[in-house]
Amino acid sequence: MTSRFTVLTLFPEIFDSFVGCSLLGRSIEAGGVSLERIDIRGFSTDRHRSVDDAPYGGGAGMVLMPGPVVAAMEAAPSGHRILLSPQGRRLDQALVEQLAGYDSLVLVCGRYEGFDERIRSFVDDEVSLGDFVLNGGEVAAMAIIEAIVRLRESTMGNPASSVEESFGSGLLEYPQYTRPREYRGMVVPEVLTGGNHAEIARFRREQSLLRTAIRRPDLIETADLTDEDRLFLDLAREGDADG
């Protein structure tokens, strides 16, 4: 499980509050996780501390130069180097679990209009949060770090939580309720208050299946379903058709 994160960024201060908060802060304090921030601008070689330049061939915006970025990577601790870019593999729970298998991750955050193409020759992987563009890779780096840290049992109040929540089982999480039992006319399902653990487990599984089928049908296609699960979904679809 990853225990060391190194973030290469032009704005290391963005991570100040992130480092001190919640699960990550407790993991760092306990000594199970370390997070180092390296300022790419510190590896500029001119008096203006330049890290970007206009692209060859023309075009809007500025592009990060290879020199400072590669020098920052080479100064970082060894680890699996990840370029955070809209062109990368889309982050999902399966990819989080794969990345968590590395002892050390080096996360390279872009800015401006992107990276000089030659920078890609010095990384091991390229990851994206999705099909949209951010101002930089810092938010993506935080997402990867938090998702991996959540997998560590030492940071979880209940280790089962990481399995039961959305995507942990390949399905969306079932609906959750707490007190009060009734709120503005909406009542907690009776099965959850009866104390029958087998019935509760069945209810939650069925709700998870229904919610996934409605909201993310693409996940149903790849989920590990039992024959009972498939029968339940078939009956639910028939009920919708009859209704």
Side-chain angles (χ1 to χ4, degrees):
M1 184 70 71
T2 308
S3 58
R4 182 173 64 193
F5 299 93
T6 306
V7 180
L8 277 54
T9 172
L10 292 173
F11 300 97
E13 64 275 11
I14 289 178
F15 292 84
D16 287 348
S17 60
F18 179 64
V19 169
C21 292
S22 190
L23 300 176
L24 177 60
R26 292 202 298 270
S27 291
I28 292 174
E29 186 176 344
V33 171
S34 68
L35 174 59
E36 179 182 359
R37 292 162 285 175
I38 294 179
D39 188 348
I40 296 172
R41 200 174 294 278
F43 294 86
S44 174
T45 57
D46 67 16
R47 63 188 181 89
H48 300 293
R49 302 186 73 202
S50 302
V51 294
D52 61 323
D53 206 341
Y56 280 113
M62 305 288 276
V63 175
L64 284 171
M65 298 185 293
V69 177
V70 173
M73 282 193 277
E74 292 175 341
S78 61
H80 186 70
R81 294 175 178 172
I82 300 174
L83 198 66
L84 299 167
S85 157
Q87 298 184 32
R89 294 191 287 163
R90 185 183 298 183
L91 188 68
D92 59 16
Q93 191 64 25
L95 180 52
V96 168
E97 292 175 4
Q98 178 185 333
L99 296 178
Y102 294 97
D103 293 333
S104 174
L105 293 180
V106 178
L107 305 170
V108 185
C109 303
R111 280 275 160 174
Y112 312 121
E113 290 301 312
F115 297 95
D116 182 293
E117 184 65 22
R118 292 165 290 186
I119 292 173
R120 289 187 161 89
S121 300
F122 296 88
V123 301
D124 304 301
D125 210 342
E126 204 165 334
V127 174
S128 168
L129 284 189
D131 297 336
F132 52 89
V133 180
L134 298 170
N135 284 334
E138 288 78 14
V139 171
M142 291 180 193
I144 290 172
I145 293 168
E146 183 156 317
I148 290 174
V149 170
R150 281 190 61 82
L151 293 177
R152 298 178 60 89
E153 290 189 12
S154 61
T155 66
M156 301 290 292
N158 179 1
S161 296
S162 62
V163 176
E164 293 179 355
E165 61 194 6
S166 291
F167 309 114
S169 63
L171 301 172
L172 299 183
E173 188 180 20
Y174 47 79
Q176 298 269 32
Y177 300 88
T178 188
R179 294 184 293 179
R181 186 168 179 177
E182 182 177 349
Y183 178 72
R184 297 190 179 186
M186 295 176 283
V187 181
V188 175
E190 187 174 349
V191 64
L192 298 177
T193 64
N196 186 322
H197 296 294
E199 288 298 317
I200 290 172
R202 179 178 178 180
F203 170 82
R204 286 176 167 171
R205 179 67 177 182
E206 290 176 351
Q207 291 298 307
S208 182
L209 289 164
L210 283 175
R211 178 162 289 189
T212 306
I214 294 170
R215 300 185 181 185
R216 290 291 305 276
D218 56 304
L219 295 177
I220 289 291
E221 300 300 321
T222 57
D224 186 14
L225 303 182
T226 65
D227 290 340
E228 185 178 359
D229 291 337
R230 293 188 178 89
L231 177 60
F232 171 77
L233 287 172
D234 288 342
L235 292 174
R237 293 186 187 107
E238 289 177 8
D240 287 342
D242 293 341

